[in-house]
Amino acid sequence: MRSVERLKRRFYNPDKGWRDGTQLYMDLVRKYVHGRGRVLDIGAGSGRGFSHGLKGSVGEVVGLDPDEGIMANVELDRAVVGIVEDIPFADGGFDAAVSSFALEHIDNAGAAAREIYRILKPGGVFVFRTPNLWHYATLAARITPQWFHNGVANWARGLDRTAPEPYHTRYRCNTVRRIKSRFGNAGFSVACLKRIEPEPAYLQFSAAAFLLGVAYERLVNHVGLLSAFRVTILGVLQK
């Protein structure tokens, strides 16, 4: 792993201006969500590994997740066990909603879009990131069984054994076209929708694999016609 760390410092050094995928996502969160009133964090989880860090910068952060582990999330003002296809809150009760790598896990994208639209106030925003179906990592995940994800995904990303296992994925709404269709039909307009290719996080298990990922990243980031094959979709949708 030391050689991979050296390669990361060489190609993705923040001191030289590199901004990773989480930083680019959080730029949107800060721009569109900070300072708002009530915010729904969809798929908030236990807070281990990632948090939107909104507690204290908005009026109230309410977390929603089907896993009871959400009850241990100290980054939330309130935690609720539930699914996004049937959000247990009244109409127009939230100023914004956020979702970090959760859309890929839902079964019914149309129902989820309608529910998110329903609980937002007029002018409310939904800020999210989700994997792009047409990226090599997502395609590999789609065709492999869950036991393989559990055994390999965290190792490939260089995470330790205490990291939580990946959740089951569905990929019902993981292309720009499907997002526009499902959320547009629900009533949303697009404020921002783009694909990004950050550092090759899934290829950290060897220096050779990581270098291949660097070559791929450079290619899809510098050739506009290949933007459809970038790994992450970032979006801001408005009611």
Side-chain angles (χ1 to χ4, degrees):
M1 282 296 179
R2 290 182 179 179
S3 57
V4 172
E5 289 301 318
R6 287 196 294 270
L7 290 172
K8 287 170 68 175
R9 288 193 297 271
R10 176 181 175 184
F11 292 106
Y12 305 108
N13 191 334
D15 294 333
K16 296 180 180 179
W18 175 260
R19 297 180 63 75
D20 64 27
T22 295
Q23 290 171 320
L24 294 174
Y25 170 62
M26 289 305 297
D27 286 344
L28 293 178
V29 173
R30 282 186 287 269
K31 179 178 179 180
Y32 288 93
V33 179
H34 277 216
R36 286 183 177 256
R38 199 172 184 220
V39 178
L40 181 64
D41 187 340
I42 299 167
S46 66
R48 291 179 57 197
F50 174 79
S51 168
H52 284 94
L54 290 170
K55 190 175 182 179
S57 71
V58 298
E60 182 185 25
V61 184
V62 180
L64 177 73
D65 198 286
D67 192 318
E68 292 189 358
I70 192 177
M71 304 309 294
N73 191 330
V74 298
E75 298 296 327
L76 305 172
D77 294 304
R78 180 184 176 190
V80 176
V81 176
I83 61 173
V84 68
E85 294 98 327
D86 187 18
I87 300 175
F89 294 106
D91 297 0
F94 290 88
D95 298 278
V98 293
S99 171
S100 175
F101 294 127
L103 289 183
E104 63 273 20
H105 301 290
I106 63 176
D107 286 308
N108 189 326
R114 291 189 294 273
E115 281 291 274
I116 297 170
Y117 187 87
R118 178 184 64 79
I119 58 92
L120 287 175
K121 296 177 181 178
V125 293
F126 174 42
V127 182
F128 67 91
R129 62 173 171 173
T130 193
N132 176 20
L133 182 60
W134 304 121
H135 189 265
Y136 63 84
T138 312
L139 289 171
R142 193 182 188 191
I143 64 174
T144 51
Q146 185 64 28
W147 63 262
F148 181 84
H149 297 180
N150 295 344
V152 174
N154 287 347
W155 167 76
R157 290 182 288 173
L159 302 179
D160 60 41
R161 294 182 179 180
T162 65
E165 292 183 344
Y167 290 104
H168 290 268
T169 48
R170 301 290 185 265
Y171 302 115
R172 308 292 194 207
C173 194
N174 287 86
T175 67
V176 166
R177 182 178 178 180
R178 288 183 184 176
I179 290 169
K180 287 181 177 179
S181 173
R182 303 298 188 273
F183 284 88
N185 288 341
F188 281 98
S189 61
V190 175
C192 173
L193 194 57
K194 60 185 177 180
R195 290 165 290 224
I196 63 169
E197 180 72 21
E199 65 283 356
Y202 277 94
L203 298 176
Q204 298 188 59
F205 54 87
S206 78
F210 192 80
L211 280 172
L212 286 174
V214 172
Y216 181 93
E217 176 267 310
R218 295 295 194 261
L219 181 64
V220 298
N221 274 335
H222 288 86
V223 179
L225 291 175
L226 298 179
S227 64
F229 301 102
R230 295 173 187 166
V231 66
T232 304
I233 301 172
L234 301 181
V236 180
L237 306 175
Q238 189 162 28
K239 179 172 179 177

